[in-house]
Amino acid sequence: MITPFRVGWLVLSLWLFMLLGYGVARPQFTLLMTLSALLFWGYSRIAQPLWFDTPATHDATVKPDRFLFGAAILFRLALLVMTPNLSDDYARFLWDGHLVANGYNPYEYLPSQFLGTSMAASAGLTDALFQRLNSPDYFSVYPPLTQVLFGVAAGLFPGDGLGAIVALRVPILLAEFGTLWLLVRLLRRFGMNPNRALLYGLNPLVILELTGNLHFEAVMIFFVLLAVWLFTQQRRIAASVVLALGIATKLLPLLLFPLLIRRLGWKRGLAYASLIGGLIALLFTPFLSVNLLHNIMDSLNLYFQKFEFNASVYYLIRTVGYWLKGYNIIGQFSTTLRLLIILSVVYIAVRTPNRSSAVTLAISVLLTLTIYWLLSTTVHPWYISSLLIPALFTRFRYPFVWSALIVVSYATYQTQPYQEHLWLTALEYAVVVGYGMLEWKRVIVNQPVRA
C-alpha cells in the first residue's frame, strides 16, 4: 500500500542513508548520532505493526509488503558506490585480496613484513593502502571464502580502489537480497507473518554496516539461513555444504554446533558436525601451509587478549582488576571468558529439547549469541546483526533496541588517540540488559512480550 506517509518516509530515509553513506566521517559523532536517530525514528514508525506482532497475530497467508521490501532493496542499492566511512576493515580486505590475486597466501605474511619488498610491488600493495590497515602486525583471520571474494575484487580492479570496493559490495548485496527472500519463506514455513523479515530488511544498522561498510556477516547470514531452509526440506547433505560455506565466511556459526548436535541426537549429530568440519577443512585446502593453523590461532589469541571495544561484562571485570591488581587483566582473564562462553553454549544446547519447536530453537540460538556478545571483549556495531535473525522468529525485541543504541560506541573515534566514553557504554548496556531481562521475565511467567 502506498500512502503519503510512506512516500514521505521513503524519501526522507533515502536522503538520510545517502548523507550517512557519502557525507559523514567517523569522527563526526554528533552528526552521526543525529542522522542515525532520525533513521531509527522512521524505522520505528514504519515497522511498528511488526514490532507488536505476537503469536496471536501470526498469519502466514499475509502477502509480503512489496512497497517496503522494495524500499529495503533501494536503500541498499543507493550505497553501491560508497567508500566505507565507519570502518577501515575494507583496507585489509583489499590487502589480502591483492595477495590472493597474485598467488600469495594471505595467512603466511604480516603486512608489516611484506611492505617494501619486491613481492609487495608485484602484488600492487602500496604504502597508502598499508597506512589504512588497522592491524598491520597481525596475520589475516578471515576465512577462505572471504579470501576468495577479496581476491576476485582485487583481481578485477587491481588499480582502482573504488572499483574493488564495489566488487566487494556486490556479493554482500546479493546475499542481503537472498536473505530477505529466505526470511519470507522461512517465516511462512513456521506459520508466521512474512513481513516480519522487514524488521531486519529495513533496520538502519544492518543497511549501513553490512552493505555500506562492507561487513561479510551479510554473506554468513545468507548461508546459514539457506542451510536452515535446506534442512527443513530434508536436504541435509546440501545443507551441510552450505553451512560449511557460511563458516568459511565467518567463524561465528561454529557456536551453534552444540545445538545442531543436540537437535540431531548425539550419534547422528556428531557425524553431521564431522562432515561439516571436513568440508571446512577442504575449503582451507587452497591456502594450506605449514604455518596456516599456527598463524590463524596466533591472531585469534591476540584478538581475544589484546583487543577491547564496547564490552560489557569484561569492562566490569577489568575495573575490578584495576582495583585489585593495578593493571589491565585482559591477558589473564580472556581464557576464563572463553571457557565461560563454551560452558554456556553447551549448557543451552543440553537444556534445549531435541524435538523442540522452531520458536524454542530460535530462542536457544538467540540466547547463545546474546551470551557470547555479552562475554566478548570486543563488540563492534555490525556484530549485532547476527542477533536480529533469530529474534525475528520469537517475541523478543531487545536485539533491535541494541541495534539502535550501539551507535553510541562510535563516540570513541572523535579523538586521536581513540578514547572510549564508558558512561555511554554503561548507558547502552543498562538499557539493553534491562529491556532484555524484562522480556525474558515475561516469557518465564508466560506473559505476552510486547514493546
Side-chain angles (χ1 to χ4, degrees):
M1 180 186 298
I2 301 177
T3 65
F5 171 75
R6 285 187 162 202
V7 172
W9 163 80
L10 176 67
V11 173
L12 175 61
S13 296
L14 182 60
W15 178 66
L16 290 171
F17 276 120
M18 297 287 282
L19 279 178
L20 277 166
Y22 297 97
V24 178
R26 190 164 61 176
Q28 296 175 288
F29 177 67
T30 302
L31 182 57
L32 173 62
M33 278 296 301
T34 301
L35 298 180
S36 295
L38 288 172
L39 268 176
F40 271 100
W41 172 80
Y43 168 71
S44 67
R45 290 293 306 277
I46 207 74
Q48 188 177 25
L50 301 169
W51 185 274
F52 289 104
D53 184 49
T54 68
T57 59
H58 285 344
D59 188 354
T61 64
V62 172
K63 292 183 179 180
D65 191 319
R66 292 185 178 183
F67 179 86
L68 293 183
F69 277 102
I73 293 171
L74 176 63
F75 295 154
R76 287 166 170 80
L77 290 176
L79 303 179
L80 178 62
V81 294
M82 165 190 165
T83 297
N85 58 356
L86 300 180
S87 169
D88 47 19
D89 285 356
Y90 76 97
R92 185 57 182 259
F93 302 166
L94 295 178
W95 184 278
D96 285 3
H98 281 293
L99 291 177
V100 173
N102 287 276
Y104 297 106
N105 190 334
Y107 302 114
E108 283 288 299
Y109 303 97
L110 292 172
S112 56
Q113 295 174 336
F114 205 77
L115 188 68
T117 66
S118 58
M119 292 188 298
S122 66
L125 298 170
T126 65
D127 184 65
L129 181 60
F130 178 83
Q131 295 302 323
R132 296 204 296 270
L133 299 178
N134 55 31
S135 301
D137 296 314
Y138 299 92
F139 292 103
S140 181
V141 295
Y142 298 106
L145 183 57
T146 49
Q147 295 291 355
V148 171
L149 296 175
F150 302 162
V152 170
L156 289 174
F157 300 94
D160 182 355
L162 181 58
I165 286 171
V166 173
L168 286 172
R169 186 168 285 121
V170 167
I172 291 175
L173 281 169
L174 294 175
E176 284 284 83
F177 300 158
T179 291
L180 293 175
W181 184 85
L182 285 166
L183 282 173
V184 167
R185 277 145 187 81
L186 284 169
L187 286 163
R188 277 182 166 166
R189 170 71 175 76
F190 298 123
M192 300 180 185
N193 182 351
N195 287 313
R196 275 190 166 208
L198 292 166
L199 287 173
Y200 174 88
L202 295 175
N203 187 281
L205 180 85
V206 171
I207 295 169
L208 287 168
E209 294 292 359
L210 302 193
T211 296
N213 289 290
L214 291 180
H215 293 297
F216 282 79
E217 276 76 4
V219 179
M220 174 200 74
I221 288 170
F222 166 73
F223 280 128
V224 171
L225 285 175
L226 182 56
V228 172
W229 173 252
L230 291 169
F231 207 87
T232 65
Q233 305 300 307
Q234 303 300 316
R235 299 169 61 185
R236 292 185 178 179
I237 299 301
S240 68
V241 174
V242 171
L243 185 55
L245 290 172
I247 297 169
T249 305
K250 288 283 183 177
L251 299 178
L252 185 66
L254 288 172
L255 278 175
L256 305 180
F257 265 35
L259 275 171
L260 178 64
I261 293 169
R262 175 65 171 161
R263 182 73 172 182
L264 294 175
W266 292 109
K267 186 175 180 180
R268 285 195 302 167
L270 287 171
Y272 197 71
S274 299
L275 171 61
I276 296 171
L279 292 170
I280 296 168
L282 186 63
L283 291 169
F284 269 101
T285 301
F287 303 99
L288 197 61
S289 71
V290 174
N291 298 318
L292 173 63
L293 184 60
H294 174 270
N295 290 347
I296 291 177
M297 293 306 298
D298 184 53
S299 288
L300 286 174
N301 284 330
L302 286 170
Y303 175 84
F304 284 108
Q305 294 176 7
K306 298 291 185 181
F307 290 5
E308 50 187 57
F309 179 82
N310 192 44
S312 55
V313 173
Y314 162 67
Y315 278 176
L316 295 176
I317 295 170
R318 185 184 68 177
T319 300
V320 173
Y322 274 119
W323 290 342
L324 298 179
K325 300 283 188 178
Y327 58 86
N328 192 339
I329 62 172
I330 184 175
Q332 297 94 317
F333 206 79
S334 62
T335 301
T336 304
L337 283 175
R338 278 182 279 179
L339 180 60
L340 285 173
I341 290 171
I342 293 171
L343 291 175
S344 299
V345 169
V346 172
Y347 177 77
I348 292 169
V350 170
R351 295 285 295 176
T352 302
N354 62 351
R355 297 297 180 186
S356 56
S357 67
V359 172
T360 301
L361 192 58
I363 290 174
S364 294
V365 172
L366 178 59
L367 182 57
T368 296
L369 295 177
T370 298
I371 290 176
Y372 176 70
W373 293 127
L374 289 178
L375 294 178
S376 293
T377 59
T378 302
V379 185
H380 288 295
W382 55 92
Y383 292 176
I384 302 307
S385 61
S386 63
L387 286 174
L388 304 184
I389 296 298
L392 293 175
F393 297 87
T394 73
R395 293 175 291 171
F396 293 102
R397 296 292 177 265
Y398 68 86
F400 299 94
V401 174
W402 199 353
S403 73
L405 291 176
I406 201 169
V407 180
V408 302
S409 64
Y410 280 116
T412 300
Y413 302 104
Q414 294 179 91
T415 58
Q416 287 282 358
Y418 298 145
Q419 181 65 46
E420 283 197 81
H421 297 250
L422 294 182
W423 68 273
L424 282 174
T425 305
L427 177 63
E428 170 196 343
Y429 282 102
V431 175
V432 171
V433 173
Y435 193 92
M437 289 178 66
L438 178 62
E439 290 195 316
W440 284 105
K441 180 181 178 181
R442 287 174 174 170
V443 166
I444 291 172
V445 297
N446 295 318
Q447 293 179 2
V449 176
R450 297 179 65 84

